[in-house]
Amino acid sequence: MAFSSKVSTSVLLLAISLVASLCLVVSAGSFYQDMDITWGDGRGKILNNGNLLTLSLDKTSGSGFQSKNQYLFGKIDMQLKLVPGNSAGTVTAYYLSSQGPTHDEIDFEFLGNLSGDPYILHTNVFSQGKGNREQQFYLWFDPTANFHTYSILWNPRSIIFSVDGTPIREFKNAESIGVPYPKNQPMRIYSSLWNADDWATRGGLVKTDWTKAPFTASYRNFNANACVSSNGKSSCNSSSKSSASNSWLSQQLDSTGQGRMKWVQKNYMIYNYCTDVKRFPQGFPQECKMS
């Protein structure tokens, strides 16, 4: 992905310089080191000496995991291979989130479908407990046939969602016009595979076919180039890190990246809250003016 490193305001420059002093490259180790399987009664598994993680769903339960670390800004990459075949009714969620009623959250959700129909990639951003910022896409490949990389770049200037290095969405810092932005609350990585056949596929019209269970999603090659937060303090140490390692803190989309994102949005976006007139008859949310 190509980015520019210019930051437009002195406030953002100050925030970036402060965070840069706390920055650490978190190398990908193994899922044993990076993640805890948190629910599912054995339906979540770490395999291949920690190089592979799988989540499964059957009629009794789904499963999920979370990162051991909390992050405050970072570039997070994970390769996923989604539930193959008839995945209608299932949802694979992969996201960053803090806790509490005013939580921040950055979401990838993959809505299953009947065999041969495309998955829907659902994205959302919560800031200070407020979400309702959905954008949805079809993918330009079969996400069940092979692993693909889903990335979140989160810095003081913007949040960029990417698929295999291609940006699909950017949520810019719009605090200057009164829109809260996720910047103070550390977030963990979470993922879960669960049954949502009351709404996930065609608004709940298509139900989960339990004769196809168990449904399984697979994960590999997790990497976090990020700042780690623990007990209100950063465990980062920039003294041994090069400025190149921290370049993501000021990255934004350059003209090439903007062009690639526009291509995705023109050809594969199927819902954008910033164009939903029926939903917002009194006018679109403030951040839509920056789109």
Side-chain angles (χ1 to χ4, degrees):
M1 187 188 303
F3 293 93
S4 166
S5 60
K6 295 181 180 178
V7 180
S8 61
T9 70
S10 58
V11 173
L12 286 171
L13 282 170
L14 176 60
I16 289 167
S17 65
L18 288 173
V19 177
S21 69
L22 301 173
C23 193
L24 173 70
V25 174
V26 181
S27 298
S30 76
F31 283 116
Y32 288 120
Q33 297 171 347
D34 295 324
M35 302 294 172
D36 289 319
I37 293 176
T38 49
W39 63 283
D41 293 326
R43 291 172 179 82
K45 293 181 171 63
I46 297 176
L47 306 167
N48 295 359
N49 296 317
N51 294 316
L52 179 71
L53 190 154
T54 62
L55 295 180
S56 292
L57 163 70
D58 58 32
K59 198 168 186 178
T60 301
S61 178
S63 51
F65 66 85
Q66 69 181 44
S67 62
K68 295 179 186 291
N69 289 324
Q70 296 185 88
Y71 305 98
L72 185 60
F73 302 124
K75 185 177 185 299
I76 311 296
D77 303 303
M78 181 80 84
Q79 291 192 326
L80 280 74
K81 183 163 66 172
L82 300 178
V83 173
N86 181 1
S87 58
T90 71
V91 173
T92 305
Y94 169 63
Y95 59 102
L96 288 163
S97 183
S98 61
Q99 298 299 308
T102 58
H103 76 291
D104 297 331
E105 187 170 320
I106 304 169
D107 292 342
F108 277 117
E109 287 188 297
F110 303 89
L111 311 186
N113 218 328
L114 294 168
S115 299
D117 289 342
Y119 263 79
I120 292 174
L121 171 52
H122 175 102
T123 67
N124 203 353
V125 175
F126 288 75
S127 52
Q128 294 295 303
K130 180 184 181 298
N132 300 318
R133 299 184 175 103
E134 301 90 348
Q135 290 184 357
Q136 295 183 337
F137 306 83
Y138 289 141
L139 294 166
W140 49 97
F141 52 83
D142 179 357
T144 73
N146 295 292
F147 284 91
H148 292 270
T149 303
Y150 302 90
S151 304
I152 295 169
L153 173 67
W154 169 38
N155 66 26
R157 183 173 180 85
S158 64
I159 296 164
I160 299 169
F161 297 78
S162 299
V163 178
D164 288 337
T166 297
I168 64 169
R169 176 179 185 176
E170 181 179 25
F171 181 80
K172 296 180 180 179
N173 185 331
E175 289 180 305
S176 61
I177 56 173
V179 180
Y181 184 79
K183 66 175 187 179
N184 297 316
Q185 301 186 75
M187 295 195 267
R188 292 188 193 275
I189 297 162
Y190 297 88
S191 189
S192 58
L193 175 57
W194 49 291
N195 179 43
D197 68 2
D198 56 333
W199 64 270
T201 306
R202 294 183 60 196
L205 293 177
V206 183
K207 301 301 183 181
T208 304
D209 181 356
W210 294 113
T211 67
K212 302 296 192 294
F215 305 97
T216 301
S218 302
Y219 303 74
R220 72 180 188 189
N221 291 346
F222 165 71
N223 188 73
N225 185 354
C227 289
V228 175
S229 178
S230 178
N231 297 320
K233 298 180 180 180
S234 172
S235 60
C236 302
N237 179 2
S238 66
S239 61
S240 62
K241 304 301 174 185
S242 69
S243 58
S245 298
N246 304 339
S247 62
W248 57 267
L249 272 166
S250 58
Q251 288 176 351
Q252 56 182 309
L253 292 179
D254 65 3
S255 58
T256 301
Q258 292 281 358
R260 294 167 73 188
M261 183 174 69
K262 288 178 182 178
W263 172 81
V264 172
Q265 294 185 352
K266 177 182 178 181
N267 292 285
Y268 296 99
M269 179 183 280
I270 58 172
Y271 178 79
N272 182 4
Y273 77 109
C274 281
T275 61
D276 191 339
V277 177
K278 291 182 179 179
R279 185 176 178 185
F280 301 107
Q282 304 305 317
F284 295 119
Q286 284 288 95
E287 68 270 14
C288 294
K289 299 175 183 178
M290 298 181 66
S291 299

